[in-house]
Amino acid sequence: DAGVTQSPTHLIKTRGQQVTLRCSPKSGHDTVSWYQQALGQGPQFIFQYYEEEERQRGNFPDRFSGHQFPNYSSELNVNALLLGDSALYLCASSGNGQTDTDTQYFGPGTRLTVL
Amino acid sequence: KNQVEQSPQSLIILEGKNCTLQCNYTVSPFSNLRWYKQDTGRGPVSLTIMTFSENTKSNGRYTATLDADTKQSSLHITASQLSDSASYICVVSAHPGGFKTIFGAGTRLFVKA
């Protein structure tokens, strides 16, 4: 039973570029959430996708966008990269989030460095 | 404002000793509280999850407590091991899943031989 997978594991970009990160949820999960974790900080919620639609969004600018595919995998896109976008980007999957005990399973993350 | 505050920020203990990490929150309405362990550069791994009606939950040497009245939680680690060295993150949700899910900054635990 595959857990949550993310690709790539590491990425280096320069300011102004665009980046796409990918996530495959745990088998049986249909909801994908994305988080940004700066060094030494807790993860910050970016947005959540369910049934191929963005269901909820955190306090992130429109430069951050996403997509969910029919197989429940998801992409996170960041345009016009800034130095401050350097962080570990985590993907978490869960069921449709309707139960109090629903647990999110996290992937290993993608380490993005913006130079 | 929904917040989750953890203390201490970092902690150093000797192998075999016990320790307790604290989490205070103001997230409302409360849905559930989770503790995660995160190794450096890795994704968080769930340790425990508690709803409003639960005041304690154990997972091996990890025991979490919850006082929903005072909005406080603790994570107690018994007989620490070197592999316990990690960040421990308290996560409080006002709704299951990603809705209004607030992460604490974590407590960095170092276990020394």
Side-chain angles (χ1 to χ4, degrees), chain B residues 70-104:
Chain B
T70 62
K71 298 185 177 180
Q72 296 179 325
S73 176
S74 64
L75 180 68
H76 187 73
I77 304 175
T78 304
S80 61
Q81 300 176 357
L82 297 179
S83 60
D84 291 333
S85 296
S87 288
Y88 291 84
I89 303 175
C90 175
V91 183
V92 183
S93 292
H95 187 284
F99 290 64
K100 287 188 178 180
T101 293
I102 309 298
F103 285 69

Side-chain angles (χ1 to χ4, degrees), chain A residues 33 35 37 40-45 48 55-56 88 90 94 97-109 111, chain B residues 31-32 34 36 38 41-46 49-52 54 89 95-106:
Chain A
S33 301
Y35 297 85
Q37 186 176 26
Q41 302 294 318
Q44 300 292 316
F45 176 67
Q48 183 182 79
R55 184 162 68 166
Q56 187 73 2
L88 180 68
L90 295 166
S94 60
Q98 297 304 311
T99 63
D100 275 353
T101 55
D102 194 50
T103 297
Q104 289 183 316
Y105 290 81
F106 283 84
R111 171 68 64 187
Chain B
S31 175
N32 62 65
R34 291 166 274 166
Y36 284 88
Q38 184 176 25
R42 308 290 295 273
V45 175
S46 179
I49 180 169
M50 290 180 291
T51 61
F52 183 87
E54 299 172 295
I89 303 175
H95 187 284
F99 290 64
K100 287 188 178 180
T101 293
I102 309 298
F103 285 69

Side-chain angles (χ1 to χ4, degrees), chain A residues 9-69:
Chain A
T9 55
H10 296 84
L11 201 55
I12 299 175
K13 292 286 188 178
T14 57
R15 282 179 296 175
Q17 285 189 310
Q18 178 266 343
V19 68
T20 297
L21 311 181
R22 297 176 177 80
C23 171
S24 292
K26 180 179 170 65
S27 177
H29 285 178
D30 56 11
T31 303
V32 174
S33 301
W34 285 93
Y35 297 85
Q36 179 194 67
Q37 186 176 26
L39 199 62
Q41 302 294 318
Q44 300 292 316
F45 176 67
I46 302 175
F47 43 53
Q48 183 182 79
Y49 276 84
Y50 171 66
E51 292 189 339
E52 301 180 49
E53 291 190 358
E54 183 182 294
R55 184 162 68 166
Q56 187 73 2
R57 188 180 184 93
N59 189 26
F60 278 81
D62 292 343
R63 297 187 298 110
F64 290 77
S65 63
H67 187 77
Q68 186 177 34
F69 298 93

Side-chain angles (χ1 to χ4, degrees), chain A residues 76-109:
Chain A
L76 164 66
N77 300 293
V78 186
N79 294 323
L81 285 168
L82 304 174
L83 295 179
D85 294 332
S86 295
L88 180 68
Y89 287 85
L90 295 166
C91 167
S93 75
S94 60
N96 65 10
Q98 297 304 311
T99 63
D100 275 353
T101 55
D102 194 50
T103 297
Q104 289 183 316
Y105 290 81
F106 283 84

